[in-house]
Structure formats: C-alpha cells, structure tokens
Amino acid sequence: MLLNHPLPVANKRLHFYERAEEIPLLPQGVWQVNRGIVQLSSFNSRGEEIILGWAQPGNFFGSWFTNLQNLQAKALSEVYLQWFSQPELEENPYLCQQVLRETVTRIRQSEQLLFIASLKRVEDKLIQLLKLLAQYLGEKEEANIVLPVRITHQMMANAIGTTRVTVTRLLGELQKRGLVAFNSQRCLVIFPSLLNTPSVGEAEEKIQDFRG
C-alpha cells in the first residue's frame, strides 16, 4: 500500500504494511524503516524459523544485504517504509553513509544473537535475548524498559532455538522473581533487575576470577 506522504528530506512516498504482513524483498534496492518494527528471519531445512534480527526506525534491510535465498521480513506492528533503489544509493554519498552506519548496527546485533546461540543453558539464552531486545527495541518508561511490540513466546523460542513451552515456563519463573512482567497490551516489561542479572556462565567466571 502506498501513502502520498512526503518525507522532509527525501521527499519519498511511504509504503504501509499492517501488523503480521510480509514485506516483499527485491534485489534492486533496500528498505528503510520510517516507523514501526520489522522482524527478519529465515528457515532451515526442516522448515523451522530462525530469527536473524529486527529493524527499527532508521534501519535498512533487504535481500541486497544477504546471500540467503529465503530471507523473510514481517511487520511486527504497523510499519511505514521508504524504498531506495540501487542507483539512488550509488549516487547519494550521504545515504551511503547512513546505510554503512546502520549495517554496522545490524552486524553487532547478529553477533549478539550468535553469542546467545552459543550459550549452554536455555535460561541464560532467554535472559540474554531479553537484554538484547531491551537494548534495540525497548522504550524507557520510568525505570523500566517496555517492548513497544508484542514479541510472542514462539518468536523468542525461534530466536534461541528452543520450544514455546520452555519459553513460557521460563518467563513465568522470571515473573515470579520480579524480573519481567506484561502490561495491559501484553507487551513485555523488563525491570532493571533483569538487566543487571548475570547469566550462570558470567557468574561462574566471576567466581573463578575471585578464586584465582
């Protein structure tokens, strides 16, 4: 869907996608998020979804950035996007700088997801994932961090390579410990106590350092 809504600088139309709508990925250019959050994922040989990251306002994404054949982009909220063709990118140095800066951010996000995947304990994976979501997607509300979109238990399970049932159980335990909660819109609220909680691996390293 196209909106005749000019931007202050680029003067480009906005493309609108509803929540849960799949966004087409074309090789001739890239999308930039103007408003909303987009989830990027792929699928393994068993058809299981693998979360690759999230794009928020200012971020660029598209098949142009990857060699994956089955990259998928899905709107997690109402999303407004700008489309930039490859010639536009090549002819605009300022735009190229923006793409480079945002690409570095995406690389860091991917590295964090790889680190999370390497952890042994599922609880550690979930805690680190929640910290990552708070860092990239969270909005400050008083002392807490609120995720502005609903990240389902299945999405979290896909991101850390476990089952939805396991994520539901672990989130329940974190709620009992006063580390997370859900607001009236069923969006996750992350308390400062979780952000300061080390994983078991981090705690063991501190113990070893103390003993050493």
Side-chain angles (χ1 to χ4, degrees):
M1 177 179 178
L2 295 178
L3 299 182
N4 292 315
H5 184 153
L7 294 180
V9 178
N11 195 31
K12 295 178 71 68
R13 289 181 297 175
L14 292 182
H15 300 245
F16 172 73
Y17 293 91
E18 295 181 352
R19 181 180 180 276
E21 189 173 357
E22 187 172 342
I23 299 164
L25 299 174
L26 305 174
Q28 301 90 356
V30 298
W31 291 111
Q32 184 182 35
V33 182
N34 180 269
R35 193 186 313 165
I37 295 174
V38 175
Q39 179 172 274
L40 305 174
S41 61
S42 185
F43 295 86
N44 62 21
S45 58
R46 298 186 297 274
E48 298 167 336
E49 186 177 30
I50 302 170
I51 305 299
L52 301 175
W54 300 270
Q56 58 181 327
N59 293 161
F60 293 85
F61 68 92
S63 58
W64 197 52
F65 293 107
T66 180
N67 288 327
L68 293 174
Q69 299 299 313
N70 55 355
L71 179 68
Q72 183 183 80
K74 182 184 294 184
L76 293 187
S77 63
E78 290 188 344
V79 170
Y80 294 84
L81 305 174
Q82 293 173 267
W83 172 257
F84 293 96
S85 66
Q86 188 171 342
E88 286 179 292
L89 296 173
E90 294 172 348
E91 295 169 4
N92 189 327
Y94 173 72
L95 189 57
C96 287
Q97 289 179 359
Q98 278 189 297
V99 172
L100 177 60
R101 183 171 59 250
E102 295 300 331
T103 300
V104 170
T105 300
R106 284 288 317 286
I107 290 173
R108 289 173 177 167
Q109 190 181 98
S110 298
E111 287 177 339
Q112 287 176 270
L113 285 169
L114 286 172
F115 168 75
I116 291 171
S118 73
L119 297 174
K120 294 180 180 179
R121 299 180 74 253
V122 178
E123 181 180 358
D124 288 346
K125 290 184 178 184
L126 181 59
I127 288 174
Q128 293 302 319
L129 176 66
L130 294 177
K131 290 181 179 181
L132 184 149
L133 290 170
Q135 177 184 351
Y136 285 102
L137 305 183
E139 296 180 351
K140 193 90 170 180
E141 284 192 9
E142 298 180 350
N144 306 320
I145 301 293
V146 178
L147 301 185
V149 294
R150 187 182 176 197
I151 306 294
T152 68
H153 295 188
Q154 187 62 60
M155 290 177 188
M156 295 184 202
N158 293 343
I160 62 176
T162 188
T163 65
R164 180 187 57 79
V165 173
T166 299
V167 168
T168 299
R169 175 177 60 80
L170 291 174
L171 282 175
E173 293 175 3
L174 294 177
Q175 283 184 269
K176 290 178 182 178
R177 291 163 57 186
L179 301 178
V180 301
F182 290 91
N183 63 19
S184 58
Q185 287 77 44
R186 297 300 297 165
C187 291
L188 192 65
V189 180
I190 300 173
F191 298 129
S193 49
L194 181 131
L195 300 178
N196 298 324
T197 300
S199 67
V200 170
E202 291 171 330
E204 289 176 348
E205 286 181 6
K206 290 181 180 179
I207 292 172
Q208 291 297 326
D209 291 341
F210 177 77
R211 291 176 176 173

